[in-house]
Amino acid sequence: MELREIQDILKANVWAGESRLDMEVHAACGCDLMSDVLAFAKEEVLLLTGLINPQVIRTAEMLDIKAIVFVRGKSPTEDMINMANQKKMVLLSTDQPLYVACGKLYGRGLMNKGDN
Amino acid sequence: MKLHYQVDGDNFLVAGEASASLKRTLKQLGIDSSIIRKISISMYEAEMNMVIHAYGGVIDVEISTDKVHILLKDKGPGIPDIDLAMKEGYSTASHEIRELGFGAGMGLPNMKRYSDHLNIYSEVGVGTTVEIIVFLM
Ligand SMILES: Nc1ncnc2c1ncn2[C@@H]1O[C@H](COP(=O)(O)OP(=O)(O)O)[C@@H](O)[C@H]1O
Ligand SMILES: [Mg+2]
């Protein structure tokens, strides 16, 4: 699924990587615990999270996660946006809570975590 | 190739710089991305532990043709019971750390899962040394 489509489904704002919205993700992982993301996420997933701090970007970097959606109407900080731009990541935000955002994407065919 | 990193103990928000830097180096060396991933996750969890549970420390990395050897040394409080600390879900992290998405007690189990060898030497009141080895072939 293209990030542009995800942006549309979640009515998301774009904070970083506007020019990279044609990127594809094949799975998603919704999580507020970074260690769980580190334990279970596969490559090239979309991360959905309610956490706002630079370690979210760092965790994504460690896992080659290229796109993050911040849920529950939270927006990333200036620091996080700068980090994401350096690492060529896409940052989105939506008003939807985590559960609903994940549900909508799942319902439209995006798989969980990366296993089929 | 030998690399040395100093890890600042009082800034959770910028922690992980050493792991990110090693990751870039491994990429430049053309190492397989699934192996880089194992190394990055293990070292990042260990580096975060140094910052969260100790007062930072030093990391020495040696990259050879067949393996990456990582040694993380801190002068923190030490781990009284390593078997207990290795259990999934065991954590002494503060509420503040948990609110930042860490402290789920999955760090040591993650290191074990993703590395080929994990050794922990610790003495209460003296410090902790974590040794991680990941084979490149
Ligand atoms: N470098 C360290 N110095 C002192 N204690 C540590 C260190 N690393 C780990 N520990 C102890 O082991 C526990 C488990 O570590 P870990 O599995 O990474 O979980 P977490 O970091 O989420 O608490 C920690 O809560 C802490 O009590
Ligand atoms: Mg930890």
Side-chain angles (χ1 to χ4, degrees):
Chain A
M1 190 182 281
E2 264 192 30
L3 291 177
R4 200 176 300 283
E5 194 180 343
I6 288 166
Q7 181 201 0
D8 189 52
I9 295 170
L10 300 178
K11 300 193 176 37
N13 293 321
V14 184
W15 297 90
E18 182 100 55
S19 64
R20 290 183 286 276
L21 291 177
D22 54 354
M23 203 156 60
E24 292 259 351
V25 288
H26 304 291
C29 169
C31 200
D32 282 351
L33 286 174
M34 289 303 112
S35 278
D36 276 359
V37 180
L38 288 161
F40 305 118
K42 301 274 159 55
E43 262 159 277
E44 279 147 39
V45 302
L46 172 75
L47 172 64
L48 296 102
T49 185
L51 273 184
I52 298 283
N53 73 68
Q55 291 306 338
V56 178
I57 313 286
R58 186 71 75 201
T59 300
E61 179 184 14
M62 290 300 141
L63 294 169
D64 293 315
I65 290 175
K66 294 291 185 204
I68 306 173
V69 179
F70 299 101
V71 298
R72 266 179 266 136
K74 295 180 186 168
S75 23
T77 63
E78 202 60 40
D79 281 4
M80 293 166 72
I81 295 168
N82 290 339
M83 279 173 85
N85 280 326
Q86 270 171 28
K87 299 171 204 312
K88 299 195 167 41
M89 285 179 195
V90 174
L91 300 185
L92 304 173
S93 75
T94 178
D95 287 339
Q96 315 274 347
L98 185 59
Y99 181 72
V100 175
C102 292
K104 284 193 172 168
L105 296 179
Y106 190 84
R108 295 284 287 268
L110 196 60
M111 306 299 281
N112 79 72
K113 282 176 185 171
D115 26 61
N116 298 301
Chain B
M1 180 192 250
K2 286 185 183 177
L3 301 160
H4 180 80
Y5 304 96
Q6 193 86 34
V7 178
D8 198 357
D10 51 19
N11 198 342
F12 172 85
L13 295 180
V14 302
E17 263 304 326
S19 304
S21 162
L22 178 67
K23 186 173 187 207
R24 285 191 290 272
T25 303
L26 296 173
K27 228 177 210 164
Q28 281 160 12
L29 292 173
I31 291 167
D32 183 76
S33 68
S34 63
I35 294 176
I36 293 182
R37 191 182 169 82
K38 288 171 62 178
I39 297 165
S40 302
I41 294 174
S42 311
M43 173 159 161
Y44 178 54
E45 287 282 14
E47 184 180 355
M48 292 311 289
N49 276 357
M50 275 183 139
V51 176
I52 294 170
H53 306 293
Y55 322 109
V58 293
I59 306 178
D60 284 287
V61 179
E62 192 171 348
I63 306 169
S64 44
T65 48
D66 62 331
K67 65 175 182 293
V68 174
H69 182 269
I70 305 166
L71 206 60
L72 304 101
K73 283 189 191 164
D74 69 57
K75 293 184 175 149
I79 306 173
D81 184 342
I82 293 175
D83 287 339
L84 181 62
M86 289 297 304
K87 290 220 165 79
E88 287 195 7
Y90 177 84
S91 175
T92 59
S94 65
H95 181 67
E96 287 72 33
I97 291 293
R98 276 165 220 248
E99 286 198 324
L100 292 164
F102 285 79
M106 291 296 291
L108 291 171
N110 276 352
M111 284 181 234
K112 181 101 192 148
R113 180 178 297 138
Y114 288 107
S115 62
D116 292 311
H117 283 292
L118 173 69
N119 294 308
I120 301 168
Y121 313 93
S122 192
E123 203 177 322
V124 174
V126 178
T128 301
T129 297
V130 174
E131 183 184 30
I132 294 166
I133 297 172
V134 175
F135 295 117
L136 296 179
M137 47 186 82

PDB file of all heavy atoms in Angstrom, chain B residues 1 10 15 26 29-31 40 50-51 57 70-71 82 87 89 92 97 99-100 105 131 133:
ATOM      1  N   MET B   1      38.743  -3.852  11.908  1.00  0.00           N
ATOM      2  CA  MET B   1      38.430  -2.450  12.162  1.00  0.00           C
ATOM      3  C   MET B   1      37.946  -2.297  13.604  1.00  0.00           C
ATOM      4  O   MET B   1      37.122  -3.072  14.074  1.00  0.00           O
ATOM      5  CB  MET B   1      37.307  -2.015  11.197  1.00  0.00           C
ATOM      6  CG  MET B   1      36.899  -0.572  11.359  1.00  0.00           C
ATOM      7  SD  MET B   1      35.358  -0.252  10.466  1.00  0.00           S
ATOM      8  CE  MET B   1      35.940   0.766   9.161  1.00  0.00           C
ATOM      9  N   ASP B  10      23.482  10.874  30.914  1.00  0.00           N
ATOM     10  CA  ASP B  10      22.359  11.646  31.444  1.00  0.00           C
ATOM     11  C   ASP B  10      21.433  12.206  30.373  1.00  0.00           C
ATOM     12  O   ASP B  10      20.642  13.087  30.628  1.00  0.00           O
ATOM     13  CB  ASP B  10      22.874  12.771  32.357  1.00  0.00           C
ATOM     14  CG  ASP B  10      23.945  13.595  31.688  1.00  0.00           C
ATOM     15  OD1 ASP B  10      24.022  13.537  30.454  1.00  0.00           O
ATOM     16  OD2 ASP B  10      24.702  14.286  32.394  1.00  0.00           O
ATOM     17  N   ALA B  15      20.293   9.271  23.343  1.00  0.00           N
ATOM     18  CA  ALA B  15      20.922   7.951  23.426  1.00  0.00           C
ATOM     19  C   ALA B  15      20.673   7.157  22.144  1.00  0.00           C
ATOM     20  O   ALA B  15      19.683   7.361  21.460  1.00  0.00           O
ATOM     21  CB  ALA B  15      20.366   7.192  24.622  1.00  0.00           C
ATOM     22  N   LEU B  26      28.469  -0.290   9.165  1.00  0.00           N
ATOM     23  CA  LEU B  26      28.239  -1.653   8.664  1.00  0.00           C
ATOM     24  C   LEU B  26      27.607  -1.623   7.274  1.00  0.00           C
ATOM     25  O   LEU B  26      27.901  -2.453   6.422  1.00  0.00           O
ATOM     26  CB  LEU B  26      27.358  -2.437   9.645  1.00  0.00           C
ATOM     27  CG  LEU B  26      27.954  -2.687  11.036  1.00  0.00           C
ATOM     28  CD1 LEU B  26      26.921  -3.307  11.962  1.00  0.00           C
ATOM     29  CD2 LEU B  26      29.198  -3.569  10.963  1.00  0.00           C
ATOM     30  N   LEU B  29      30.168  -0.924   4.747  1.00  0.00           N
ATOM     31  CA  LEU B  29      31.014  -2.095   4.518  1.00  0.00           C
ATOM     32  C   LEU B  29      30.297  -3.143   3.661  1.00  0.00           C
ATOM     33  O   LEU B  29      30.869  -4.171   3.311  1.00  0.00           O
ATOM     34  CB  LEU B  29      31.443  -2.718   5.849  1.00  0.00           C
ATOM     35  CG  LEU B  29      32.410  -1.883   6.700  1.00  0.00           C
ATOM     36  CD1 LEU B  29      32.624  -2.529   8.051  1.00  0.00           C
ATOM     37  CD2 LEU B  29      33.746  -1.691   5.991  1.00  0.00           C
ATOM     38  N   GLY B  30      29.043  -2.889   3.368  1.00  0.00           N
ATOM     39  CA  GLY B  30      28.296  -3.794   2.497  1.00  0.00           C
ATOM     40  C   GLY B  30      27.835  -5.076   3.174  1.00  0.00           C
ATOM     41  O   GLY B  30      27.557  -6.077   2.515  1.00  0.00           O
ATOM     42  N   ILE B  31      27.717  -5.030   4.495  1.00  0.00           N
ATOM     43  CA  ILE B  31      27.269  -6.212   5.235  1.00  0.00           C
ATOM     44  C   ILE B  31      25.770  -6.432   5.013  1.00  0.00           C
ATOM     45  O   ILE B  31      24.999  -5.477   4.898  1.00  0.00           O
ATOM     46  CB  ILE B  31      27.632  -6.053   6.733  1.00  0.00           C
ATOM     47  CG1 ILE B  31      29.157  -6.149   6.856  1.00  0.00           C
ATOM     48  CG2 ILE B  31      26.935  -7.089   7.612  1.00  0.00           C
ATOM     49  CD1 ILE B  31      29.710  -5.728   8.170  1.00  0.00           C
ATOM     50  N   SER B  40      22.328  -4.225  15.148  1.00  0.00           N
ATOM     51  CA  SER B  40      21.769  -2.935  15.554  1.00  0.00           C
ATOM     52  C   SER B  40      20.812  -3.072  16.726  1.00  0.00           C
ATOM     53  O   SER B  40      20.861  -2.298  17.684  1.00  0.00           O
ATOM     54  CB  SER B  40      21.007  -2.284  14.390  1.00  0.00           C
ATOM     55  OG  SER B  40      21.856  -2.115  13.294  1.00  0.00           O
ATOM     56  N   MET B  50      22.617   0.991  29.257  1.00  0.00           N
ATOM     57  CA  MET B  50      23.705   1.781  29.859  1.00  0.00           C
ATOM     58  C   MET B  50      23.220   3.155  30.299  1.00  0.00           C
ATOM     59  O   MET B  50      23.649   3.685  31.319  1.00  0.00           O
ATOM     60  CB  MET B  50      24.784   2.047  28.799  1.00  0.00           C
ATOM     61  CG  MET B  50      25.797   0.989  28.630  1.00  0.00           C
ATOM     62  SD  MET B  50      26.952   1.617  27.391  1.00  0.00           S
ATOM     63  CE  MET B  50      28.446   1.076  28.149  1.00  0.00           C
ATOM     64  N   VAL B  51      22.342   3.726  29.485  1.00  0.00           N
ATOM     65  CA  VAL B  51      21.852   5.078  29.775  1.00  0.00           C
ATOM     66  C   VAL B  51      20.753   5.044  30.839  1.00  0.00           C
ATOM     67  O   VAL B  51      20.734   5.865  31.750  1.00  0.00           O
ATOM     68  CB  VAL B  51      21.326   5.748  28.475  1.00  0.00           C
ATOM     69  CG1 VAL B  51      20.720   7.116  28.772  1.00  0.00           C
ATOM     70  CG2 VAL B  51      22.451   5.869  27.462  1.00  0.00           C
ATOM     71  N   GLY B  57      28.695   4.946  29.639  1.00  0.00           N
ATOM     72  CA  GLY B  57      29.885   4.105  29.665  1.00  0.00           C
ATOM     73  C   GLY B  57      30.635   4.175  28.359  1.00  0.00           C
ATOM     74  O   GLY B  57      30.507   5.158  27.623  1.00  0.00           O
ATOM     75  N   ILE B  70      31.170  -6.790  20.194  1.00  0.00           N
ATOM     76  CA  ILE B  70      30.822  -5.525  20.852  1.00  0.00           C
ATOM     77  C   ILE B  70      30.966  -5.683  22.360  1.00  0.00           C
ATOM     78  O   ILE B  70      30.427  -6.626  22.954  1.00  0.00           O
ATOM     79  CB  ILE B  70      29.367  -5.117  20.530  1.00  0.00           C
ATOM     80  CG1 ILE B  70      29.153  -5.049  19.013  1.00  0.00           C
ATOM     81  CG2 ILE B  70      29.009  -3.778  21.172  1.00  0.00           C
ATOM     82  CD1 ILE B  70      27.690  -4.982  18.598  1.00  0.00           C
ATOM     83  N   LEU B  71      31.703  -4.757  22.972  1.00  0.00           N
ATOM     84  CA  LEU B  71      31.893  -4.798  24.422  1.00  0.00           C
ATOM     85  C   LEU B  71      31.395  -3.472  25.005  1.00  0.00           C
ATOM     86  O   LEU B  71      31.894  -2.413  24.644  1.00  0.00           O
ATOM     87  CB  LEU B  71      33.382  -4.981  24.703  1.00  0.00           C
ATOM     88  CG  LEU B  71      33.780  -5.641  26.018  1.00  0.00           C
ATOM     89  CD1 LEU B  71      33.206  -7.047  26.114  1.00  0.00           C
ATOM     90  CD2 LEU B  71      35.295  -5.697  26.129  1.00  0.00           C
ATOM     91  N   ILE B  82      21.487 -11.903  37.553  1.00  0.00           N
ATOM     92  CA  ILE B  82      21.450 -11.835  36.085  1.00  0.00           C
ATOM     93  C   ILE B  82      20.363 -12.743  35.497  1.00  0.00           C
ATOM     94  O   ILE B  82      19.666 -12.358  34.566  1.00  0.00           O
ATOM     95  CB  ILE B  82      22.845 -12.152  35.488  1.00  0.00           C
ATOM     96  CG1 ILE B  82      23.825 -11.025  35.883  1.00  0.00           C
ATOM     97  CG2 ILE B  82      22.791 -12.276  33.961  1.00  0.00           C
ATOM     98  CD1 ILE B  82      25.260 -11.237  35.479  1.00  0.00           C
ATOM     99  N   LYS B  87      14.896 -12.459  32.434  1.00  0.00           N
ATOM    100  CA  LYS B  87      13.503 -12.897  32.223  1.00  0.00           C
ATOM    101  C   LYS B  87      12.701 -11.844  31.468  1.00  0.00           C
ATOM    102  O   LYS B  87      12.789 -10.656  31.763  1.00  0.00           O
ATOM    103  CB  LYS B  87      12.825 -13.160  33.579  1.00  0.00           C
ATOM    104  CG  LYS B  87      13.367 -14.386  34.281  1.00  0.00           C
ATOM    105  CD  LYS B  87      12.223 -15.153  34.953  1.00  0.00           C
ATOM    106  CE  LYS B  87      12.661 -16.554  35.330  1.00  0.00           C
ATOM    107  NZ  LYS B  87      13.464 -16.583  36.573  1.00  0.00           N
ATOM    108  N   GLY B  89      10.067  -9.365  30.649  1.00  0.00           N
ATOM    109  CA  GLY B  89       9.151  -8.593  31.473  1.00  0.00           C
ATOM    110  C   GLY B  89       9.753  -8.097  32.774  1.00  0.00           C
ATOM    111  O   GLY B  89       9.165  -7.250  33.435  1.00  0.00           O
ATOM    112  N   THR B  92      13.476  -2.908  36.289  1.00  0.00           N
ATOM    113  CA  THR B  92      13.498  -2.005  37.434  1.00  0.00           C
ATOM    114  C   THR B  92      13.391  -0.548  36.960  1.00  0.00           C
ATOM    115  O   THR B  92      13.628   0.380  37.726  1.00  0.00           O
ATOM    116  CB  THR B  92      14.807  -2.178  38.243  1.00  0.00           C
ATOM    117  OG1 THR B  92      15.919  -1.904  37.379  1.00  0.00           O
ATOM    118  CG2 THR B  92      14.933  -3.575  38.807  1.00  0.00           C
ATOM    119  N   ILE B  97      10.623   6.380  32.551  1.00  0.00           N
ATOM    120  CA  ILE B  97      11.228   5.646  31.440  1.00  0.00           C
ATOM    121  C   ILE B  97      10.155   4.838  30.692  1.00  0.00           C
ATOM    122  O   ILE B  97      10.139   4.780  29.471  1.00  0.00           O
ATOM    123  CB  ILE B  97      12.357   4.719  31.965  1.00  0.00           C
ATOM    124  CG1 ILE B  97      13.537   5.568  32.461  1.00  0.00           C
ATOM    125  CG2 ILE B  97      12.796   3.707  30.914  1.00  0.00           C
ATOM    126  CD1 ILE B  97      14.274   6.336  31.382  1.00  0.00           C
ATOM    127  N   GLU B  99       7.045   5.553  30.398  1.00  0.00           N
ATOM    128  CA  GLU B  99       6.210   6.460  29.602  1.00  0.00           C
ATOM    129  C   GLU B  99       6.876   6.835  28.283  1.00  0.00           C
ATOM    130  O   GLU B  99       6.218   7.266  27.355  1.00  0.00           O
ATOM    131  CB  GLU B  99       5.900   7.728  30.396  1.00  0.00           C
ATOM    132  CG  GLU B  99       4.878   7.460  31.478  1.00  0.00           C
ATOM    133  CD  GLU B  99       4.231   8.722  31.992  1.00  0.00           C
ATOM    134  OE1 GLU B  99       4.943   9.732  32.071  1.00  0.00           O
ATOM    135  OE2 GLU B  99       3.035   8.673  32.304  1.00  0.00           O
ATOM    136  N   LEU B 100       8.193   6.648  28.219  1.00  0.00           N
ATOM    137  CA  LEU B 100       8.919   6.953  26.985  1.00  0.00           C
ATOM    138  C   LEU B 100       9.002   5.730  26.070  1.00  0.00           C
ATOM    139  O   LEU B 100       9.629   5.774  25.019  1.00  0.00           O
ATOM    140  CB  LEU B 100      10.322   7.472  27.320  1.00  0.00           C
ATOM    141  CG  LEU B 100      10.335   8.860  27.995  1.00  0.00           C
ATOM    142  CD1 LEU B 100      11.685   9.130  28.638  1.00  0.00           C
ATOM    143  CD2 LEU B 100      10.002   9.945  26.992  1.00  0.00           C
ATOM    144  N   GLY B 105      11.177  -4.567  29.999  1.00  0.00           N
ATOM    145  CA  GLY B 105      11.868  -5.778  30.419  1.00  0.00           C
ATOM    146  C   GLY B 105      12.125  -6.734  29.275  1.00  0.00           C
ATOM    147  O   GLY B 105      12.219  -7.953  29.454  1.00  0.00           O
ATOM    148  N   GLU B 131      28.902  -8.358  26.615  1.00  0.00           N
ATOM    149  CA  GLU B 131      29.637  -8.751  25.415  1.00  0.00           C
ATOM    150  C   GLU B 131      28.654  -9.368  24.427  1.00  0.00           C
ATOM    151  O   GLU B 131      27.910 -10.289  24.762  1.00  0.00           O
ATOM    152  CB  GLU B 131      30.708  -9.786  25.811  1.00  0.00           C
ATOM    153  CG  GLU B 131      31.576 -10.222  24.665  1.00  0.00           C
ATOM    154  CD  GLU B 131      32.572 -11.319  25.088  1.00  0.00           C
ATOM    155  OE1 GLU B 131      32.255 -12.105  26.007  1.00  0.00           O
ATOM    156  OE2 GLU B 131      33.658 -11.385  24.475  1.00  0.00           O
ATOM    157  N   ILE B 133      28.317 -10.922  20.477  1.00  0.00           N
ATOM    158  CA  ILE B 133      28.992 -11.357  19.252  1.00  0.00           C
ATOM    159  C   ILE B 133      27.951 -11.749  18.218  1.00  0.00           C
ATOM    160  O   ILE B 133      26.993 -12.474  18.517  1.00  0.00           O
ATOM    161  CB  ILE B 133      29.940 -12.557  19.524  1.00  0.00           C
ATOM    162  CG1 ILE B 133      31.063 -12.122  20.490  1.00  0.00           C
ATOM    163  CG2 ILE B 133      30.545 -13.085  18.203  1.00  0.00           C
ATOM    164  CD1 ILE B 133      31.935 -13.249  20.976  1.00  0.00           C
TER     165      ILE B 133
END
